[in-house]
Amino acid sequence: MTGKIPYGGDYNPEQWPRDVWDEDHRLFTRAGIDTLTVGVFSWSLTQPAEETYDFTVLDRVLDRAAAEGRQVCLATGTAALPPWLAKKYPEVNRTDFEGRRHRYGQRHNFCPSSPAYRRLSTAMAGRLAERYADHPALLAWHINNEYGGACYCERCADAFRDWLRDRYATLDALNDAWWTTFWSHRYTDWAEIEPPSALTEHWRGPDHTAFQGITLDYFRCTTDALLGCFLAEKEAIRRYDPETPVTTNFMGMFRPLDYHRWAPHLDFASWDSYPPLDAPPTWPALAHDLMRGLKDGAPFWLMEQTPSTTASRDVNPLRRPGELRLATFQAIAHGADAALYFQMRASRGACEKYHGAVIGHAGRDDTRVFGEVADLGKELGLLGDATLGARTPARTALLFDWDSWWALEISDGPSRLVKYQEVVHTYYRAAREAGADVDVVPQTADLTAYDVVLAPVLHMVKGDLAGRLEAVAARGGSVLTTFLSGRVDAHDRAFLTDVPGPLAPLMGVRVDECDARQSEIAQSIPELGSEARLVFEIVQPRGAEPVATYGGDFYAGTPAVTRNAWGDGEAWYVATALDQPGVDQVIRRILTRHDLLGPYADHPAVETATRVAPDGTRILFVLNHATEAAHLTAPATVTDLLTGKRAEKGAPLALDPLGVAVLRLLS
């Protein structure tokens, strides 16, 4: 699509007079900006009334971009309703979890079941495609923006019932799946079914439900409802533009929507990276790898990141010198083929006026932030197309499953203190800090390419997964799962067999009891010199050998970690929430067996990631997340694509604090 990594971001020139546009493009040239995302929130501008379309401003924006040699990711603008639409068609306003019909305001404010919204949003997408499909600046289509939010109105209730009919066909099948003999809930008519909300099955918020099966299905239905809105707009675009790639921007590890259900319908994945304030570098790395895994390892776009600071949190720290560069190259290292910002010029008013921007309110080009953006633009120019289309040759897979996430966190037991993301990240972090490249994949992924498969808190086991994991071990691979795995089927019904359900034969263990405690109560694991918290499953080996045991309580001396031989391989079961050092030891033992420790495994602050270009060139990214210099040696004969310097294998390789090296491997 391009000759280099697209570089730029969200641009809202409709907020500014034309003389500011002139200055913007001058500054874009200075910063190496070549790609602009436009029209993200322009619906009220381009359609000021139902029968009126006005493309004057968008025409000028795209024509100016083309004249300046820039390309455009054109959004359909349908994530925020224009006021006239909500006034004329009140049905488009959402009904919230508490049963309140909202009035007009904010964004992401539409009911996905609203006929008026569907008709008008698809009409807008079609009009845009008809007008701009052949425009020389058009690079990609950006539908809506950061989809999210559930509605509980009567239209959504009817849509839920229709969705259930399609899924279950009969009420007998639905009643069995939801286990409705409990609490006299057996349904005899589809019309009796209500969406699970604060007015029906829930108390103390969305995660406390009397019937997990109902709530789980509503999560799935909401995912499909919003996906339906996306697909309707994509279809409208395709009537006029059969070729230009179409995407929408995801939000990484975003619990409300199962992105695996969306992935087949995107031409490429893209996402907005705003990691938590105290997150270690492996947190955004996990999200990057999740986005790459959505399209079977194909590159993704970093659609948004801040050049300096966010504005949506109570406290919004500034990115320190060097952090922007490091974060951008981390995204590229993990598969990004574009690096874009929110936002290009700071808004003068409303809730994002203090959000970081490439160009601040004063419009200066001598600020530190602008200088860092410009310097990075030059480096991406030096990189050229070297990484475009490059893939990651990972031999380690981590299973990430939205159904397990949902089912675990809406369960009334054993512990609501266990958080799916946190446990998954603990295992991912251990593998990444040991230097392993990791593919983050769904339960349905083909596992034949992997030597190691990590499946922490795989609460729900679906389809033939258990057999495919057994096949990984049988051919010599290593499989790991943990506490609270293999507990329920696809309907969130407990397996009527020994825990961990379908995974029990492979793991070689049986779990009859599970102790859950408050987070301040720790249990020692002597063999690992570590501690565990929250959940302590009491394991009875059924062929597995103990690797580590509990140090206290009535289950002292019983296994906390086991290993089971299976064919030519092995299966590991971790029965408790080990601390990070404990997980690190287990994961490094597994990776060592397969010779998967990275060249800098003894430097946990030094991140490595490998990409293989379409021509077979191997590129190793080396990222120093420490505030001190890293003194390393070259892992092979290499050339640094950013400096042009060559180093022989074993030669000194120094990285500045927060430094980056992009190494073409020559031997």
Side-chain angles (χ1 to χ4, degrees), residues 490-548:
H491 304 297
D492 203 30
R493 301 173 302 188
F495 288 117
L496 301 180
T497 186
D498 293 329
V499 173
L503 306 179
L506 174 61
M507 294 298 129
V509 299
R510 188 180 105 196
V511 178
D512 292 342
E513 299 178 274
C514 180
D515 190 17
R517 298 297 184 94
Q518 293 296 323
S519 58
E520 60 269 19
I521 297 177
Q523 173 72 271
S524 66
I525 311 294
E527 294 87 350
L528 300 178
S530 65
E531 292 185 334
R533 285 179 164 79
L534 303 183
V535 171
F536 313 99
E537 292 181 342
I538 303 172
V539 170
Q540 298 185 40
R542 290 296 182 265
E545 60 173 311
V547 173

Side-chain angles (χ1 to χ4, degrees), residues 111-133:
C111 166
S113 302
S114 162
Y117 175 79
R118 184 69 65 92
R119 173 172 58 85
L120 291 164
S121 62
T122 55
M124 172 58 73
R127 290 286 190 117
L128 289 166
E130 182 180 21
R131 191 173 191 89
Y132 299 115

Side-chain angles (χ1 to χ4, degrees), residues 1 13 24-25 104 172 234 238 279 419-420 439 520 547:
M1 293 168 57
D24 286 340
H25 280 281
Y104 180 76
D172 285 343
K234 183 180 180 182
R238 284 288 177 249
K419 301 301 179 185
Y420 180 81
D439 281 346
E520 60 269 19
V547 173

Side-chain angles (χ1 to χ4, degrees), residues 4-8 26-35 70 370 373-378 380-381:
K4 62 175 285 293
I5 292 172
Y7 188 55
R26 183 186 72 82
L27 294 172
F28 293 163
T29 299
R30 288 204 59 184
I33 299 300
D34 54 42
T35 303
R70 297 187 225 288
F370 185 89
V373 170
D375 289 344
L376 184 53
K378 293 175 183 175
L380 295 182

Side-chain angles (χ1 to χ4, degrees), residues 453-468:
V453 178
L454 307 177
V457 280
L458 192 69
H459 196 64
M460 181 180 292
V461 176
K462 298 170 286 189
D464 64 348
L465 177 63
R468 291 187 292 114

Side-chain angles (χ1 to χ4, degrees), residues 412-435:
D412 277 328
S415 173
R416 289 191 175 274
L417 300 181
V418 176
K419 301 301 179 185
Y420 180 81
Q421 278 179 294
E422 294 175 2
V423 180
V424 168
H425 172 253
T426 299
Y427 284 84
Y428 174 86
R429 179 176 183 173
R432 292 293 306 134
E433 289 187 346

